Amino acid sequence: MSHSTQTNKGGMSPLMVVGGIFLLLGLWLTFQRFYGGLGAVTNLDDNNPWGIWIGFDLLCGVALAAGGYTTSAACYIFGMKRFHGAVRPAILTAFLGYALVVFALHYDVGRPWRLPYPIFVSPGTTSLLFEVGLCVFLYLTVLFIEYSPVALEWLGQKRLRNAVHKLTLVLTIFGVVLSTLHQSSLGALFLIAPSKLHPLWYSSYLPLFFFVSSMFAGMSMVIFEGTISHKNFHDKMDEDHLSASENVVLGFAKASCVVMCGYLALKLFGLAMDDNWHYLGTGWGAWFLFELLGFVALPALLYGIGAREKNVKLIRWTAALSVLGIVLNRFNISLVAFNYHLPASERYFPSWQEIGISIFVVTVGVFAFRFIVTRMPIFYEHPDYKESHH
Amino acid sequence: MYYTLHDFMLHSKGVTYILMGAVLVGMVIVWTFLFDRSDEDRDRFNIQHGKHED
């Protein structure tokens, strides 16, 4: 293993060049957005005020960043220390995920200098959006503090690092509470629009659906991110991390299988309580079943088989399928099945600039992740603190 | 066709309760499918290493 901070000694890889182009394009689109307003770069209108910046950057970003609370809760609250090796990458992914959610939100709401207003100046305490905003603000702070020992170890700030490290359990509990609140509240946002969201996706259980699905989304993302990291940052991983990674994959696959089966059951209860069975025979029903069977039931089965047969490769592919499934689910709720009754000419489809900004945000995240893991002790124990992690 | 809210609730809740029962049975099957081999592995390990469960 090498802890060298030097990477890509032979120069820039093609992926880095593509990433660089996305960054430049994103900067140009950012200028267009803030100079010309929403109308200059988006297809948003009065019928569709929320586009992919909310559907993808925010809803998917928050769900896929749930690996932070699931992994740290498993390790520190439920005492499953065998998952310890996955905590730091998961916390980093969550921290960057939430930071990028807030970053991307600026593009939607504009006027970045007014971001603190809903919290500190004019809080709308009866609004679900206020609860989401407050939780994301608090949880981002919690994630920053949870992540900070990594940076402090890198900076050699031993005393400060040890002080922050003592807060781990409190921060984990706080993180789980905040995640429970805002993951479900994101689903609850759609409760205000029963006539706009197709009945197959609308349910009074939407908050529960969002919270439960965030659990397996987070765990799948931890497996998925671990797969990518193993391919690209293998030399940054120590023996402990490498030997524990299979345990993490198998353990999270089992947990995801159980949670997905529970989610599937909840979705059936939702259908039954609203007596929406007759919609299943329509085109919307086919799309609903495609989402539910192809991206929940199938991954649950594959996770189960993978965990039983200890087939790590199958589990890793299943994690990618599950991540896609979460993206599809959030897209369906916020975009596809939203305003389903409008004529095709009035339906929303994102402009290339909106898609470009979303790619830009993801690219920023990938570059930030790469910058941190190639410099800081994410995949290996810092030699000065080996004992304190156990 | 439901003529009263009571009709609707009786039907939809009835179906939901039946589903809940099926899910309870299903979860036991899922749990067994996921964990029975882990138990076999543990038993085999214990036999090979001469360990006995208390």
Short mmCIF file of all heavy atoms in Angstrom, two decimals, chain A residues 362-390:
data_model
loop_
_atom_site.label_atom_id
_atom_site.label_comp_id
_atom_site.label_asym_id
_atom_site.label_seq_id
_atom_site.Cartn_x
_atom_site.Cartn_y
_atom_site.Cartn_z
N VAL A 362 -22.23 16.36 -10.14
CA VAL A 362 -21.69 15.02 -9.87
C VAL A 362 -20.17 15.01 -10.07
O VAL A 362 -19.42 14.44 -9.27
CB VAL A 362 -22.37 13.96 -10.77
CG1 VAL A 362 -21.71 12.59 -10.61
CG2 VAL A 362 -23.85 13.85 -10.45
N THR A 363 -19.71 15.69 -11.14
CA THR A 363 -18.27 15.73 -11.42
C THR A 363 -17.51 16.42 -10.28
O THR A 363 -16.43 15.96 -9.89
CB THR A 363 -18.01 16.48 -12.76
OG1 THR A 363 -18.87 15.94 -13.75
CG2 THR A 363 -16.57 16.32 -13.20
N VAL A 364 -18.08 17.52 -9.77
CA VAL A 364 -17.45 18.19 -8.63
C VAL A 364 -17.30 17.21 -7.46
O VAL A 364 -16.25 17.14 -6.81
CB VAL A 364 -18.27 19.44 -8.19
CG1 VAL A 364 -17.79 19.99 -6.86
CG2 VAL A 364 -18.21 20.52 -9.26
N GLY A 365 -18.36 16.42 -7.24
CA GLY A 365 -18.33 15.42 -6.16
C GLY A 365 -17.25 14.37 -6.37
O GLY A 365 -16.51 14.03 -5.45
N VAL A 366 -17.14 13.88 -7.61
CA VAL A 366 -16.14 12.85 -7.91
C VAL A 366 -14.73 13.41 -7.70
O VAL A 366 -13.87 12.76 -7.09
CB VAL A 366 -16.31 12.34 -9.37
CG1 VAL A 366 -15.15 11.43 -9.77
CG2 VAL A 366 -17.63 11.59 -9.51
N PHE A 367 -14.50 14.65 -8.17
CA PHE A 367 -13.18 15.26 -8.01
C PHE A 367 -12.86 15.49 -6.52
O PHE A 367 -11.74 15.26 -6.08
CB PHE A 367 -13.09 16.58 -8.78
CG PHE A 367 -12.64 16.39 -10.21
CD1 PHE A 367 -13.53 15.98 -11.18
CD2 PHE A 367 -11.33 16.61 -10.58
CE1 PHE A 367 -13.13 15.78 -12.50
CE2 PHE A 367 -10.90 16.42 -11.90
CZ PHE A 367 -11.81 16.00 -12.87
N ALA A 368 -13.87 15.95 -5.76
CA ALA A 368 -13.65 16.20 -4.33
C ALA A 368 -13.35 14.88 -3.62
O ALA A 368 -12.43 14.80 -2.78
CB ALA A 368 -14.88 16.86 -3.72
N PHE A 369 -14.10 13.82 -3.96
CA PHE A 369 -13.88 12.50 -3.35
C PHE A 369 -12.46 12.02 -3.65
O PHE A 369 -11.73 11.57 -2.76
CB PHE A 369 -14.91 11.50 -3.93
CG PHE A 369 -14.88 10.14 -3.28
CD1 PHE A 369 -15.56 9.90 -2.10
CD2 PHE A 369 -14.16 9.10 -3.85
CE1 PHE A 369 -15.54 8.64 -1.50
CE2 PHE A 369 -14.13 7.84 -3.27
CZ PHE A 369 -14.82 7.62 -2.09
N ARG A 370 -12.07 12.17 -4.91
CA ARG A 370 -10.73 11.73 -5.34
C ARG A 370 -9.65 12.52 -4.60
O ARG A 370 -8.66 11.96 -4.14
CB ARG A 370 -10.63 11.92 -6.85
CG ARG A 370 -9.39 11.32 -7.45
CD ARG A 370 -9.37 11.53 -8.96
NE ARG A 370 -8.19 10.91 -9.54
CZ ARG A 370 -6.98 11.41 -9.46
NH1 ARG A 370 -6.77 12.54 -8.83
NH2 ARG A 370 -5.96 10.77 -10.00
N PHE A 371 -9.86 13.83 -4.51
CA PHE A 371 -8.89 14.69 -3.83
C PHE A 371 -8.69 14.23 -2.38
O PHE A 371 -7.56 14.12 -1.90
CB PHE A 371 -9.38 16.15 -3.85
CG PHE A 371 -8.46 17.10 -3.12
CD1 PHE A 371 -7.38 17.69 -3.78
CD2 PHE A 371 -8.66 17.41 -1.78
CE1 PHE A 371 -6.53 18.55 -3.11
CE2 PHE A 371 -7.81 18.27 -1.10
CZ PHE A 371 -6.74 18.85 -1.77
N ILE A 372 -9.79 13.91 -1.72
CA ILE A 372 -9.72 13.56 -0.29
C ILE A 372 -9.13 12.18 -0.10
O ILE A 372 -8.22 12.01 0.73
CB ILE A 372 -11.12 13.69 0.36
CG1 ILE A 372 -11.53 15.16 0.40
CG2 ILE A 372 -11.12 13.09 1.77
CD1 ILE A 372 -12.96 15.42 0.78
N VAL A 373 -9.61 11.18 -0.85
CA VAL A 373 -9.14 9.81 -0.57
C VAL A 373 -7.69 9.59 -0.98
O VAL A 373 -7.04 8.67 -0.49
CB VAL A 373 -10.03 8.72 -1.22
CG1 VAL A 373 -11.44 8.78 -0.70
CG2 VAL A 373 -10.00 8.80 -2.74
N THR A 374 -7.18 10.42 -1.90
CA THR A 374 -5.77 10.25 -2.27
C THR A 374 -4.84 10.96 -1.30
O THR A 374 -3.62 10.82 -1.39
CB THR A 374 -5.50 10.79 -3.70
OG1 THR A 374 -6.04 12.10 -3.80
CG2 THR A 374 -6.13 9.88 -4.75
N ARG A 375 -5.41 11.73 -0.37
CA ARG A 375 -4.56 12.46 0.57
C ARG A 375 -4.82 12.09 2.03
O ARG A 375 -3.90 12.10 2.85
CB ARG A 375 -4.78 13.97 0.38
CG ARG A 375 -4.12 14.51 -0.86
CD ARG A 375 -4.68 15.86 -1.26
NE ARG A 375 -3.99 16.34 -2.46
CZ ARG A 375 -4.25 15.92 -3.71
NH1 ARG A 375 -5.18 15.03 -3.91
NH2 ARG A 375 -3.57 16.40 -4.73
N MET A 376 -6.05 11.80 2.37
CA MET A 376 -6.41 11.64 3.79
C MET A 376 -6.70 10.17 4.12
O MET A 376 -7.01 9.38 3.23
CB MET A 376 -7.63 12.50 4.10
CG MET A 376 -7.36 13.97 3.82
SD MET A 376 -8.78 15.00 4.19
CE MET A 376 -8.38 16.48 3.27
N PRO A 377 -6.59 9.82 5.40
CA PRO A 377 -6.77 8.41 5.79
C PRO A 377 -8.24 7.96 5.77
O PRO A 377 -8.90 7.89 6.81
CB PRO A 377 -6.21 8.37 7.22
CG PRO A 377 -6.35 9.76 7.72
CD PRO A 377 -6.23 10.68 6.54
N ILE A 378 -8.74 7.68 4.57
CA ILE A 378 -10.12 7.19 4.41
C ILE A 378 -10.12 5.67 4.34
O ILE A 378 -10.89 5.00 5.03
CB ILE A 378 -10.77 7.78 3.14
CG1 ILE A 378 -10.87 9.30 3.22
CG2 ILE A 378 -12.14 7.16 2.89
CD1 ILE A 378 -11.87 9.82 4.23
N PHE A 379 -9.24 5.12 3.49
CA PHE A 379 -9.22 3.67 3.28
C PHE A 379 -8.15 2.97 4.11
O PHE A 379 -7.95 1.78 3.97
CB PHE A 379 -8.99 3.36 1.79
CG PHE A 379 -10.09 3.85 0.90
CD1 PHE A 379 -9.82 4.71 -0.16
CD2 PHE A 379 -11.41 3.45 1.11
CE1 PHE A 379 -10.84 5.16 -0.98
CE2 PHE A 379 -12.43 3.90 0.28
CZ PHE A 379 -12.14 4.76 -0.76
N TYR A 380 -7.46 3.71 4.91
CA TYR A 380 -6.44 3.10 5.79
C TYR A 380 -6.44 3.82 7.13
O TYR A 380 -6.91 4.95 7.24
CB TYR A 380 -5.06 3.17 5.13
CG TYR A 380 -4.54 4.58 4.90
CD1 TYR A 380 -3.77 5.24 5.86
CD2 TYR A 380 -4.82 5.25 3.70
CE1 TYR A 380 -3.31 6.52 5.63
CE2 TYR A 380 -4.36 6.53 3.47
CZ TYR A 380 -3.59 7.16 4.43
OH TYR A 380 -3.15 8.44 4.21
N GLU A 381 -5.94 3.12 8.14
CA GLU A 381 -5.85 3.70 9.47
C GLU A 381 -4.58 4.56 9.53
O GLU A 381 -3.52 4.10 9.13
CB GLU A 381 -5.73 2.59 10.53
CG GLU A 381 -6.88 1.61 10.52
CD GLU A 381 -8.03 2.04 11.39
OE1 GLU A 381 -7.95 3.11 12.00
OE2 GLU A 381 -9.01 1.29 11.46
N HIS A 382 -4.73 5.76 10.03
CA HIS A 382 -3.53 6.59 10.24
C HIS A 382 -2.68 5.91 11.30
O HIS A 382 -3.19 5.52 12.35
CB HIS A 382 -3.95 7.99 10.69
CG HIS A 382 -2.85 8.99 10.63
ND1 HIS A 382 -1.79 8.97 11.49
CD2 HIS A 382 -2.62 10.02 9.77
CE1 HIS A 382 -0.97 9.96 11.19
NE2 HIS A 382 -1.45 10.61 10.14
N PRO A 383 -1.38 5.73 11.05
CA PRO A 383 -0.54 4.96 12.00
C PRO A 383 -0.58 5.49 13.44
O PRO A 383 -0.45 4.72 14.38
CB PRO A 383 0.86 5.09 11.42
CG PRO A 383 0.78 5.89 10.18
CD PRO A 383 -0.65 6.16 9.87
N ASP A 384 -0.81 6.79 13.61
CA ASP A 384 -0.82 7.37 14.97
C ASP A 384 -2.10 7.05 15.75
O ASP A 384 -2.16 7.25 16.96
CB ASP A 384 -0.70 8.90 14.90
CG ASP A 384 0.65 9.32 14.35
OD1 ASP A 384 1.52 8.44 14.22
OD2 ASP A 384 0.81 10.52 14.04
N TYR A 385 -3.15 6.58 15.06
CA TYR A 385 -4.45 6.42 15.74
C TYR A 385 -5.01 5.02 15.59
O TYR A 385 -6.21 4.82 15.74
CB TYR A 385 -5.46 7.42 15.17
CG TYR A 385 -4.99 8.85 15.20
CD1 TYR A 385 -4.38 9.42 14.09
CD2 TYR A 385 -5.15 9.63 16.34
CE1 TYR A 385 -3.93 10.73 14.11
CE2 TYR A 385 -4.70 10.94 16.37
CZ TYR A 385 -4.08 11.48 15.25
OH TYR A 385 -3.64 12.77 15.27
N LYS A 386 -4.16 4.05 15.29
CA LYS A 386 -4.67 2.70 15.02
C LYS A 386 -5.48 2.13 16.19
O LYS A 386 -6.50 1.50 16.00
CB LYS A 386 -3.51 1.76 14.68
CG LYS A 386 -3.10 1.87 13.23
CD LYS A 386 -2.46 0.62 12.72
CE LYS A 386 -2.40 0.70 11.21
NZ LYS A 386 -1.82 -0.42 10.56
N GLU A 387 -4.99 2.37 17.40
CA GLU A 387 -5.64 1.79 18.58
C GLU A 387 -7.00 2.41 18.85
O GLU A 387 -7.94 1.75 19.27
CB GLU A 387 -4.75 1.93 19.82
CG GLU A 387 -3.46 1.12 19.74
CD GLU A 387 -3.71 -0.34 19.40
OE1 GLU A 387 -4.57 -0.94 20.07
OE2 GLU A 387 -3.09 -0.87 18.46
N SER A 388 -7.11 3.72 18.58
CA SER A 388 -8.33 4.43 19.00
C SER A 388 -9.56 4.05 18.17
O SER A 388 -10.68 4.35 18.55
CB SER A 388 -8.12 5.95 18.90
OG SER A 388 -7.94 6.31 17.55
N HIS A 389 -9.34 3.39 17.03
CA HIS A 389 -10.49 3.05 16.18
C HIS A 389 -11.18 1.77 16.63
O HIS A 389 -12.22 1.44 16.10
CB HIS A 389 -10.04 2.91 14.72
CG HIS A 389 -9.68 4.22 14.10
ND1 HIS A 389 -8.83 4.35 13.04
CD2 HIS A 389 -10.01 5.48 14.45
CE1 HIS A 389 -8.69 5.62 12.73
NE2 HIS A 389 -9.40 6.31 13.58
N HIS A 390 -10.56 1.03 17.52
CA HIS A 390 -11.14 -0.27 17.87
C HIS A 390 -11.82 -0.26 19.23
O HIS A 390 -11.70 0.67 19.97
CB HIS A 390 -10.06 -1.34 17.82
CG HIS A 390 -9.49 -1.47 16.42
ND1 HIS A 390 -10.20 -2.02 15.39
CD2 HIS A 390 -8.32 -1.04 15.90
CE1 HIS A 390 -9.47 -1.97 14.29
NE2 HIS A 390 -8.33 -1.37 14.57
#
